[in-house]
Amino acid sequence: MSPRRSDPNIRTGLVDAAARLLAEHGPRALSARRVATEASSSTMALYTHFGGMSGLVRAMVREGFVRLEQHLSAVGATDDPVADMALLGRAYRRNALANSHLYSVMFGGSSLAGFSLSEEDRQAGRYTLLHAVECAIRCSAAGRFSAIHPELTASQMWIAVHGLVTLELGGYLIDPLGADRCFEAQLVGLMIGAGDEPEAATRSVAASEQRLEHMR
Amino acid sequence: MSPRRSDPNIRTGLVDAAARLLAEHGPRALSARRVATEASSSTMALYTHFGGMSGLVRAMVREGFVRLEQHLSAVGATDDPVADMALLGRAYRRNALANSHLYSVMFGGSSLAGFSLSEEDRQAGRYTLLHAVECAIRCSAAGRFSAIHPELTASQMWIAVHGLVTLELGGYLIDPLGADRCFEAQLVGLMIGAGDEPEAATRSVAASEQRLEHMR
DNA sequence: CCCGTTCGCATAACGATGTCATGAATCCGG
DNA sequence: CCGGATTCATGACATCGTTATGCGAACGGG
């Protein structure tokens, strides 16, 4: 009833080849034939495993969320929750820059040919917010953030960092006010906007920068 | 030296048809043949006027920036510059929601098939910041914002509102913390982060909401 | 142990796509 | 009124996503 023979690495080989093509040659190189050739298989394997090109893109999006989750999970909890929150933002941005094309597909609307995210995909994206929510709760418990609605605070963090990353990837943030400078200012501004004291926020953000260097 | 016969409305007819197809049938319907048919012409007209599909998309992006500029220009200067700034944010978001597909192309990275923005296009996008910069200067002059670097302040506004609009268009902001609620909270938070007093910021943001209803 | 069944995937085809070569039709400067 | 220049319609590529067809390999019952 279930004779399957060569499953193990064709699936991952296809999505890996697709991710590599996307990263190295841009969205234009994402063709079914080229992906199949790169993975040493045929286009039909792509259809038996993913049901079409959009299914493969969806698999890539899920892979992108897995990588984002890994980056965020690498941020531990210390006794300075505001620094933890800033580090979450840095990890988010680092992941987006390291997987920029993937990130564009994950959040870049449905521009890519004939593909639109499912509600399940979006929910996977929203799950990444849980790290920030938990951290916001810790910030409130430590008396750093105003205690009202940590989920709203976490959403503000997400929205702001996402907006910066998107404009950065689009090439809109240039020299006098480059992405780095805007990002640092934004982190401090977010913490202050969430209720933290200006000096404490500045210190915590600076401390998070130190910790980022030591990560991974 | 310049024998042109039927220029007047073929160009605009093509870009209008493209914009209509994009808005009504999604990015998938943006085919050279279909645009040409819709505009009652041939695909070659598209090449003589725009040099290819990417040129037409670029023209659409410019049209998108023109519409954004119109929305922002409709925001006048009153004696409450913070309310003006909030209204700029509202106008930005209103334009993005009214021209969502166009906005996705303008800022959605290079996802759309074989198209990437030129530096000129990006500069056109950055010009829209000037409204916010001028308004930030007025906010500082009125003693509402801290006077240091209004351009950085304006960038923060842009980044945050852009991030919210992007996630909203992507369908990521849903019910308990929907886009409307996040947006209102974000406007207040931005003004406070820029140096305004909490109560004054709340009042100005609320006043800007009133003014939006009366616009256009 | 062996064979029928069942699935995986390679081949090849189809419609549609972006792009360009060709050529007819048209306008402008002289 | 004419000749060079320019617009655009036609048709031909190469390539795209997708699918029908068919072969070969892996399981399960005897």
Side-chain angles (χ1 to χ4, degrees), chain A residues 1 3-6 10 33 41-44 48-49:
Chain A
M1 189 74 90
R4 306 190 181 103
R5 38 178 192 176
S6 59
I10 298 285
R33 285 177 173 81
S41 80
S42 174
T43 63
M44 270 307 293
T48 61
H49 285 284

Side-chain angles (χ1 to χ4, degrees), chain B residues 113-149:
Chain B
F115 163 73
S116 63
L117 298 88
S118 72
E119 188 54 35
E120 180 189 358
D121 299 326
R122 278 186 280 264
Q123 194 57 38
R126 284 187 279 261
Y127 274 139
T128 65
L129 245 187
L130 293 185
H131 287 105
V133 172
E134 178 266 349
C135 193
I137 293 176
R138 280 172 36 230
C139 290
S140 296
R144 303 284 296 270
F145 284 2
S146 52
I148 45 170
H149 224 162

Side-chain angles (χ1 to χ4, degrees), chain B residues 176-200:
Chain B
L177 278 76
D180 285 331
R181 184 168 178 190
C182 285
F183 187 58
E184 297 300 324
Q186 192 170 54
L187 285 180
V188 176
L190 281 169
M191 304 311 165
I192 297 175
D196 202 14
E197 298 295 327
E199 319 86 52

Side-chain angles (χ1 to χ4, degrees), chain B residues 30-45:
Chain B
L30 260 195
S31 69
R33 285 174 173 82
R34 189 156 178 189
V35 169
T37 303
E38 204 78 11
S40 307
S41 80
S42 174
T43 65
M44 269 309 291

Side-chain angles (χ1 to χ4, degrees), chain A residues 8-199:
Chain A
N9 39 15
I10 298 285
R11 251 189 93 98
T12 65
L14 281 171
V15 53
D16 282 356
R20 195 174 57 247
L21 281 176
L22 183 63
E24 296 178 2
H25 299 86
R28 195 48 175 271
L30 258 195
S31 69
R33 285 177 173 81
R34 192 155 175 190
V35 168
T37 303
E38 203 79 11
S40 308
S41 80
S42 174
T43 63
M44 270 307 293
L46 195 152
Y47 277 83
T48 61
H49 285 284
F50 302 100
M53 200 61 191
S54 62
L56 192 151
V57 175
R58 216 184 310 277
M60 290 177 57
V61 168
R62 273 197 272 267
E63 169 67 20
F65 281 129
V66 168
R67 295 186 192 181
L68 173 58
E69 175 67 26
Q70 290 173 348
H71 274 80
L72 295 184
S73 295
V75 177
T78 69
D79 56 355
D80 186 348
V82 175
D84 296 347
M85 180 68 87
L87 196 55
L88 279 176
R90 296 187 189 280
Y92 187 97
R93 180 177 175 226
R94 168 176 281 191
N95 169 77
L97 296 183
N99 309 95
S100 55
H101 294 272
L102 221 39
Y103 192 86
S104 293
V105 178
M106 290 156 62
F107 295 106
S110 55
S111 301
L112 198 134
F115 163 74
S116 63
L117 298 87
S118 72
E119 188 53 36
E120 180 189 357
D121 299 326
R122 279 186 278 264
Q123 194 58 37
R126 284 187 278 261
Y127 274 140
T128 66
L129 245 186
L130 293 185
H131 288 105
V133 172
E134 177 266 347
C135 194
I137 292 176
R138 281 172 37 230
C139 290
S140 297
R144 303 284 296 270
F145 284 2
S146 52
I148 45 171
H149 224 162
E151 301 173 9
L152 186 57
T153 302
S155 289
Q156 309 284 21
M157 306 279 166
W158 183 28
I159 290 168
V161 175
H162 167 77
L164 182 130
V165 163
T166 302
L167 289 179
E168 180 178 12
L169 291 181
Y172 283 99
L173 303 180
I174 55 170
D175 211 8
L177 278 76
D180 285 331
R181 184 169 178 189
C182 285
F183 187 58
E184 297 300 325
Q186 193 171 54
L187 285 180
V188 176
L190 282 169
M191 304 311 163
I192 297 175
D196 202 14
E197 298 294 328
E199 318 87 51

